């Protein structure tokens, strides 16, 4: 199916999120958001990926906004 979950946040505040399936993606995504924002007040531009079970969370940070999506591992 490809991308199963998406979220946009500024800092710790989730601005929008969507889930195409019933899962705990929102919980895991918020834990990732918490971890990448821990101890940092600056919003460095970056690209990160995290693997969880058979899913991959891709994170893009740019100008204070964080865009995160969860995709099936096979989707890449």
């Amino acid at each position: 199916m490809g991308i199963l979950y998406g979220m946009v946040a500024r800092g710790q505040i989730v601005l929008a999120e969507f889930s195409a399936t019933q899962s705990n993606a929102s919980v895991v995504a918020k834990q990732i958001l918490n971890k990448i924002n821990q101890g940092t007040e600056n919003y460095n531009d970056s690209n990160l990926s995290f693997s969880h079970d058979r899913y991959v969370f891709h994170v893009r940070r740019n100008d204070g906004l964080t865009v995160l999506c969860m995709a099936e591992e096979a989707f890449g």
Side-chain angles (χ1 to χ4, degrees):
M1 177 174 210
I3 297 175
L4 303 173
Y5 173 82
M7 176 180 76
V8 177
R10 181 175 299 279
Q12 296 291 95
I13 300 170
V14 176
L15 303 173
E17 65 182 327
F18 173 79
S19 183
T21 62
Q22 289 279 11
S23 69
N24 67 341
S26 178
V27 173
V28 175
K30 288 174 185 168
Q31 289 174 348
I32 291 171
L33 188 64
N34 202 16
K35 185 171 186 95
I36 64 175
N37 286 323
Q38 215 171 34
T40 180
E41 290 301 319
N42 58 355
Y43 298 105
N44 296 331
D45 296 351
S46 60
N47 293 315
L48 306 165
S49 293
F50 299 93
S51 182
H52 179 72
D53 288 334
R54 61 181 199 269
Y55 302 104
V56 179
F57 288 82
H58 300 285
V59 182
R60 168 78 176 144
R61 296 177 76 185
N62 194 356
D63 293 331
L65 281 178
T66 302
V67 178
L68 181 147
C69 73
M70 180 185 83
E72 295 173 330
E73 193 172 49
F75 187 66

